[in-house]
């Protein structure tokens, strides 16, 4: 974790939360106690800040400083509000091409996807507040800096974001092997959001139930799946092909 992208100490983290800082995750010492710690835990819950309870050894590896049982990672970018992004796209008369990342947790995969998305004209990426990969040094490096040019929206729940998009006339397409339809049979020339699932579980079944369409890549080898960033690139370039 880059030192410039972390804060440590309970009071410092509380102040960052109150200031509305873009906190990716807070690591809290297991079984920590005290009035100040209770105040922090309440603030994390109240503001729905992604956090995890870890042994003190983990915190000591994150920083040699007096962390008081809490270390937070801070995003180097500001996140977009989804409604504002949709309003901007509508005002600019653009045909939205969006990405939804359902619990992709590897920062390097996240960065590679952002890089490809920027190269293919994606207008924005939607991730969940909890369970998503952080925007950290690995993300920035793997994205080749594209993360600073790509609007990224953090939402409470992926399903709610999908409902919002559908209400705005944007079709949602899930990239999943749980379908007979190939991506070449799906129209990406209209307003569309492509949904990519996590590295280990794919797209959440509850999300699959509400999407407009499902599509898969043709697979001919013995291995049943591609790296998620590679699969995402294939979907995005099919969208590019259709939109040219």
């Amino acid at each position: 974790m880059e030192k410039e992208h972390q804060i440590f100490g309970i009071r410092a983290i509380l102040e960052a939360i109150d200031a509305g800082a873009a906190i990716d995750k807070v690591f809290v010492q297991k079984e920590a106690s005290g009035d100040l710690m209770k105040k922090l835990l309440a603030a994390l819950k109240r503001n729905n800040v992604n956090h995890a309870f870890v042994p003190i050894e983990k915190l000591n590896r994150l920083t040699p400083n007096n962390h008081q049982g809490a270390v937070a990672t801070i995003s180097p970018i500001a996140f977009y509000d989804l409604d504002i992004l949709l309003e901007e796209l509508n005002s600019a008369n653009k045909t939205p091409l969006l990405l939804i990342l359902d619990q992709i947790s590897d920062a390097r995969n996240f960065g590679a996807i952002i890089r490809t998305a920027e190269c293919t004209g994606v207008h924005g990426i939607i991730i969940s507040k909890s369970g998503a990969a952080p925007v950290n040094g690995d993300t920035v490096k793997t994205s080749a800096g594209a993360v600073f040019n790509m609007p990224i929206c953090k939402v409470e729940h992926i399903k709610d974001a999908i409902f919002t998009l559908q209400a705005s006339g944007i079709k949602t397409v899930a990239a999943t092997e749980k379908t007979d339809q190939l991506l070449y049979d799906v129209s990406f020339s209209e307003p569309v959001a492509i949904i990519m699932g996590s590295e280990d579980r794919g797209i959440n079944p509850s999300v699959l139930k509400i999407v407009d369409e499902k599509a898969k890549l043709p697979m001919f080898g013995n291995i049943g799946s591609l790296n998620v960033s590679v699969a995402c690139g294939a979907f995005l370039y099919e969208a590019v092909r259709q939109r040219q």
Side-chain angles (χ1 to χ4, degrees), residues 28-238:
V28 181
Q29 182 180 335
K30 285 182 178 179
E31 300 175 355
S33 59
D35 291 340
L36 201 56
M37 178 60 76
K38 290 180 181 178
K39 186 176 180 181
L40 173 61
L41 295 177
L44 294 175
K45 184 176 181 180
R46 183 172 62 252
N47 293 277
N48 197 29
V49 177
N50 190 21
H51 60 282
F53 294 96
V54 298
I56 191 172
E57 291 79 9
K58 166 75 172 178
L59 299 177
N60 291 340
R61 289 195 298 270
L62 291 175
T63 178
N65 298 291
N66 180 20
H67 50 66
Q68 300 176 309
V71 178
T73 59
I74 303 296
S75 172
I77 66 168
F79 293 100
Y80 265 67
D81 179 272
L82 178 57
D83 290 329
I84 292 176
L85 176 61
L86 294 178
E87 289 176 6
E88 291 178 354
L89 292 175
N90 183 58
S91 298
N93 292 318
K94 292 183 178 180
T95 303
L97 175 59
L98 301 170
L99 267 181
I100 300 175
L101 306 183
D102 184 16
Q103 302 287 296
I104 288 177
S105 58
D106 184 274
R108 291 180 178 86
N109 280 336
F110 188 24
I113 288 172
I114 295 170
R115 183 174 184 175
T116 303
E118 203 273 341
C119 290
T120 53
V122 169
H123 298 113
I125 296 175
I126 300 165
I127 62 175
S128 60
K129 286 187 176 180
S130 62
V135 179
N136 59 18
D138 284 336
T139 313
V140 173
K141 183 177 181 180
T142 312
S143 77
V147 67
F148 299 115
N149 303 320
M150 176 59 59
I152 298 177
C153 305
K154 267 192 173 184
V155 297
E156 298 287 349
H157 304 290
I158 292 296
K159 289 173 65 177
D160 289 341
I162 290 174
F163 290 137
T164 297
L165 295 176
Q166 291 170 333
S168 301
I170 299 173
K171 180 173 69 174
T172 54
V173 179
T176 174
E177 76 283 357
K178 298 175 182 178
T179 181
D180 293 326
Q181 180 171 240
L182 295 178
L183 80 161
Y184 310 117
D185 300 321
V186 175
S187 172
F188 293 103
S189 57
E190 59 196 278
V192 66
I194 300 170
I195 307 165
M196 307 301 301
S198 68
E199 293 88 347
D200 53 349
R201 299 184 304 274
I203 297 173
N204 191 298
S206 64
V207 171
L208 286 176
K209 291 180 180 179
I210 64 172
V211 299
D212 297 303
E213 292 193 59
K214 303 172 188 175
K216 68 177 180 180
L217 289 165
M219 302 291 292
F220 303 105
N222 294 322
I223 297 176
S225 64
L226 292 171
N227 172 276
V228 64
S229 67
V230 175
C232 186
F235 270 81
L236 289 177
Y237 271 100
E238 174 59 16

